[in-house]
Amino acid sequence: AALAGGCRLVQYRDKLSAMPEQVCRARALRELTRRFDATLLINDDLALGALVDADGVHLGQDDLPLAAAIAALGGERDGFLIGISTHDLDQVAAAVAGGADYLGFGPVFPTSTKANPDPVVGVAGLAAACARAGATPVVAIGGIAVEHAARLHGAGAAAACAISAINRVRDRVGAARTLAAPWSHRQE
């Protein structure tokens, strides 16, 4: 439903399931994202990303370090994306200097997705992160609701990452469409 509504990137995040189940789900998502010409990222797990032919991996501050991920790929990334979660401007600068392809920045708003979230940065903090990141795309993360989309786009975010705003509503297609709307009218 999210893909049908305009989502063009899916991140598979599963910290609880056994590896065989993760592989099965990630492969199913790979097929689904290909059908919609969308990007598939795997959260935290470079090996799983390679196994299912994902488009990249997203790493948190406590996961595999960026330099180690780049080294593990042997310098031959061939378009394999590496994104990094960032929560302050020092982390933004380090991730950009280290060669991250994109940054997740936040939480922009209070979030219930994480048990111990980092401090809320707000839209002004997001705008500062976008400015600090320069040409590196920044994705707004944390507590994102569909009604935030225009403000996040206006702050300079290249995209927004939402979980509850899509998964906990009846009209998932409509929610995804509303969330994606500010970014869907870019000039090619």
Side-chain angles (χ1 to χ4, degrees):
L3 289 164
C7 170
R8 289 296 158 252
L9 190 147
V10 172
Q11 179 179 321
Y12 177 60
R13 181 177 187 243
D14 183 350
K15 296 178 182 268
L16 303 175
S17 298
M19 184 54 68
E21 194 172 338
Q22 288 184 32
V23 171
C24 182
R25 288 180 180 158
R27 283 187 174 146
L29 282 172
R30 173 73 285 181
E31 293 306 313
L32 188 60
T33 54
R34 281 192 174 131
R35 226 179 307 147
F36 280 90
D37 194 28
T39 300
L40 174 64
L41 300 175
I42 303 297
N43 191 66
D44 297 343
D45 194 331
L46 186 62
L48 179 59
L51 182 65
V52 301
D53 195 29
D55 298 299
V57 65
H58 185 85
L59 303 171
Q61 289 293 312
D62 296 325
D63 298 326
L64 180 68
L66 176 58
I70 291 170
L73 293 170
E76 299 296 324
R77 288 168 64 177
D78 288 331
F80 191 85
L81 302 170
I82 301 175
I84 303 292
S85 290
T86 58
H87 312 291
D88 62 44
L89 296 181
D90 289 338
Q91 291 175 355
V92 168
V96 169
D101 294 300
Y102 74 92
L103 312 175
F105 186 78
V108 179
F109 303 101
T111 180
S112 61
T113 303
K114 290 198 169 195
N116 297 306
D118 287 276
V120 171
V121 297
V123 175
L126 174 65
C130 292
R132 177 72 59 94
T136 303
V138 175
V139 177
I141 61 174
I144 307 302
V146 295
E147 60 268 18
H148 299 141
R151 288 177 42 211
L152 301 172
H153 181 265
C161 176
I163 299 172
S164 299
I166 304 294
N167 292 329
R168 292 188 182 160
V169 298
R170 271 200 167 124
D171 182 7
R172 292 182 176 111
V173 172
R177 186 174 293 126
T178 301
L179 186 62
W183 291 278
S184 62
H185 299 300
R186 286 183 274 166
Q187 295 179 6
E188 299 290 324

